[in-house]
Amino acid sequence: AEMCRILRKAGFTVVEGPEVETEYYCFDALCTPADHPARDAQDTFYFPEKARFGNVTKKTPEEKYLLRTHTSSVQIRTMLAGPPPYRVVIPGVVYRKDPFDPSHASVFWQVEGLAVDEGISFVDLKGTLLHFARQFFSPSTKVRFRPSFFPFTEPSAQMDVEIDLGDGRGMRRVELMGCGLVHPAVIEA
């Protein structure tokens, strides 16, 4: 809720989407083809072939229903709803077949932002995320961006924050999120 409040003040609108999705919205439109590892049964909760959901339509009869693995599917729904510019924040529950440990769970909340407009660059992304980190943690929060890979962003990065976790070990870098500019193929699709 706090993240959404901060991003609303920065001009973003909160949008939500369905938790039951199709492969098109969750993978195909996000440059994640059928042979991508993220689509494996061990990573994704698929529904049985006989399952039917009236509020989510398949693009093809063979397409499968699944529990969304990320809120990026709502990016596609947002972009298909009308022309840019877009400045949205997308909170929601996501599902992955991850083994439970201190940094993983099969059900968790994710918050995602999407900004598409003429002239937006990686500098805008970094500035927005730095602003968020300093509003959310403290005005002196330091961030670091490391190269990464996501099929639906280019360039892609991981953003770390330097914070005190209150465990007596002082300031530490903690990976906070993945980020990047929307891949041109996603916008074209």
Side-chain angles (χ1 to χ4, degrees):
E2 180 64 12
M3 179 181 240
C4 290
R5 185 192 67 74
I6 291 167
L7 290 170
R8 271 193 197 112
K9 283 180 69 176
F12 287 75
T13 302
V14 176
V15 296
E16 296 180 13
E19 292 178 31
V20 173
E21 268 298 3
T22 65
E23 291 174 306
Y24 174 78
Y25 289 103
C26 207
F27 296 122
D28 294 335
L30 291 163
C31 302
T32 309
D35 60 352
H36 194 282
R39 293 176 77 152
D40 287 349
Q42 71 264 16
D43 294 337
T44 306
F45 290 105
Y46 284 95
F47 285 96
E49 294 295 323
K50 294 178 185 173
R52 298 287 177 261
F53 298 93
N55 62 338
V56 179
T57 9
K58 294 180 179 183
K59 293 283 185 188
T60 66
E62 307 81 42
E63 191 174 26
K64 297 175 184 165
Y65 291 111
L66 54 105
L67 289 173
R68 68 179 176 196
T69 58
H70 46 80
T71 55
S72 301
S73 59
V74 184
Q75 282 188 20
I76 302 305
R77 292 180 174 283
T78 299
M79 290 190 280
L80 288 173
Y86 314 109
R87 278 188 178 72
V88 297
V89 59
I90 308 161
V93 176
V94 297
Y95 306 85
R96 296 181 190 165
K97 284 189 170 181
D98 287 342
F100 187 78
D101 65 34
S103 65
H104 294 88
S106 58
V107 179
F108 58 94
W109 274 87
Q110 185 178 61
V111 178
E112 181 163 338
L114 171 68
V116 176
D117 201 351
E118 301 242 350
I120 289 182
S121 71
F122 202 79
V123 172
D124 299 296
L125 173 68
K126 288 176 70 174
T128 300
L129 294 177
L130 176 61
H131 172 77
F132 162 72
R134 289 187 172 164
Q135 292 289 312
F136 192 78
F137 296 106
S138 85
S140 62
T141 298
K142 294 179 183 172
V143 300
R144 175 178 73 169
F145 291 86
R146 296 178 287 117
S148 191
F149 171 77
F150 304 103
F152 41 86
T153 58
E154 180 61 39
S156 305
Q158 293 286 345
M159 185 179 100
D160 303 333
V161 293
E162 192 173 277
I163 57 174
D164 185 345
L165 296 175
D167 60 1
R169 296 185 347 187
M171 299 299 279
R172 293 193 308 193
R173 281 199 179 121
V174 177
E175 180 183 308
L176 186 63
M177 68 178 75
C179 60
L181 296 182
V182 179
H183 196 290
V186 172
I187 293 176
E188 186 177 310

